Amino acid sequence: MLNRRHIRIKVMQSIYAMHQNNSDDMLKEEKFLFNSIENIRDLYLIMVSALVELRNKEEEFIERSQKKHLATAAERNPNKKFINNGVLHLLAESNPLSIAMADNKIDNWTKNDDYILLLLDAVKESDVYKNYMHNDKNNYEEDRDFVADLFTEVIAPNEKLYEYLEDHKLTWVDDIPVVNTLISKQLKQVTPDGRDAFYVPKVFKDSDDKDFARELFRKTVLNNNELSKEFTDKTPNWDTERIAEIDAIILKMAICEFLKFPSIPVKVTINEYLEIAKEYSTPKSSIFINGILDNLIKDYQGSNKLIKTGRGLM
């Protein structure tokens, strides 16, 4: 579910929080880091289950309308294309999804069904929904395209849903785009292969990624002073205290990868942290950080301090 860049971001945020709280309890902060990462699974399940609950709420509405004493012709014979959608049925009957929901105790929409009703109103008002309900097509490919478009264009951008998620868990703010992108990709590719067709991805791709998160956090924190000294001499025109805290953390993490992660290519490290700086720090930070890292690489290469294993790692 997470790529290496997002792992780096989570580590950076945890180190920043550690500094802000003046905490020196590394084990406690490491636990917080992994909790925030594991909670991304809950966010994923909440977003996917919203699709199932939207279908369920619409089915309940149709059944109530049909039972009305003075039901109209349209209410007695409603258009059931939405609740009969093949992909929505697949999600509702998915074994992996049901098991993951139960294991992680995901019942957000049971307790907060008002958000689902708001979402359902937004769905029905959308052109995506109207175009789907009023055409003559009726096949799995159309059902899949509709659900993918509905999620991407209506559900994921919904401001009320975003506010709910932000209020529910603040650490999700930066995770929402990652999760929504993943779900959108899955919905575009899901096939009608039975109750196991829709899989719930792991938070970490493999054990190497989980080890990377732990080691990057520990090695950056434990070598804080050593890593700081690496770049303070490279900023003669800058008082160390004037360097933005996020910039300092990004520099320490990048230098940590240079010196203590021999299997990670230098170019990968530089590119990753420059992109992170563009998103999380000041407009000029990436230029500032790039200049320091370039000078450090030249020094390390000249003094044989940079040891990278494998081919193409420079």
Side-chain angles (χ1 to χ4, degrees), residues 17 60-61 64-65 71 104 168-169 205 208 216 225 230 291 309 313:
E60 290 174 8
F61 173 76
R64 286 197 306 270
S65 298
N104 291 274
H168 189 70
K169 201 171 294 292
K205 181 181 67 177
D208 287 346
L216 181 59
N225 293 335
E230 293 291 329
T309 58
L313 294 179

Side-chain angles (χ1 to χ4, degrees), residues 116-238:
I116 292 298
L117 294 174
L118 287 171
L119 267 181
L120 187 57
D121 287 341
V123 166
K124 290 182 175 182
E125 291 172 4
S126 70
D127 290 337
V128 175
Y129 176 86
K130 292 174 182 177
N131 292 336
Y132 172 74
M133 296 296 285
H134 295 99
N135 67 44
D136 296 329
K137 296 180 182 178
N138 190 14
N139 56 58
Y140 182 82
E141 287 71 23
E142 191 215 9
D143 285 354
R144 180 176 58 196
D145 292 344
F146 163 70
V147 174
D149 290 344
L150 186 70
F151 183 84
T152 303
E153 298 178 25
V154 181
I155 297 172
N158 186 272
E159 291 184 6
K160 292 294 183 182
L161 178 59
Y162 183 89
E163 290 172 5
Y164 167 75
L165 295 172
E166 184 180 17
D167 290 343
H168 189 70
K169 201 171 294 292
L170 187 58
T171 57
W172 282 348
V173 171
D174 295 299
D175 304 329
I176 293 172
V178 174
V179 168
N180 286 344
T181 299
L182 171 61
I183 294 172
S184 180
K185 182 178 179 180
Q186 278 189 288
L187 291 173
K188 291 175 182 177
Q189 298 175 347
V190 65
T191 57
D193 293 332
R195 299 180 69 181
D196 294 326
F198 190 86
Y199 69 94
V200 177
K202 298 177 181 178
V203 174
F204 291 103
K205 181 181 67 177
D206 51 36
S207 59
D208 287 346
D209 277 0
K210 187 170 185 177
D211 290 341
F212 171 69
R214 179 180 292 106
E215 290 177 18
L216 181 59
F217 177 77
R218 290 183 178 181
K219 289 178 179 180
T220 304
V221 172
L222 291 174
N223 296 282
N224 180 69
N225 293 335
E226 172 193 336
L227 296 171
S228 293
K229 291 176 183 177
E230 293 291 329
F231 66 83
T232 50
D233 292 340
K234 304 299 178 184
T235 55
N237 297 323
W238 285 79

Side-chain angles (χ1 to χ4, degrees), residues 65-66 68 70-79:
S65 298
Q66 287 178 316
K68 287 167 60 175
L70 297 176
T72 64
E75 289 171 332
R76 287 194 300 270
N77 297 287
N79 183 347

Side-chain angles (χ1 to χ4, degrees), residues 3 39 45 95 150 169 180 226-227 256 265 290:
N3 56 35
N39 282 333
L45 293 171
N95 279 329
L150 186 70
K169 201 171 294 292
N180 286 344
E226 172 193 336
L227 296 171
C256 184
N290 189 40

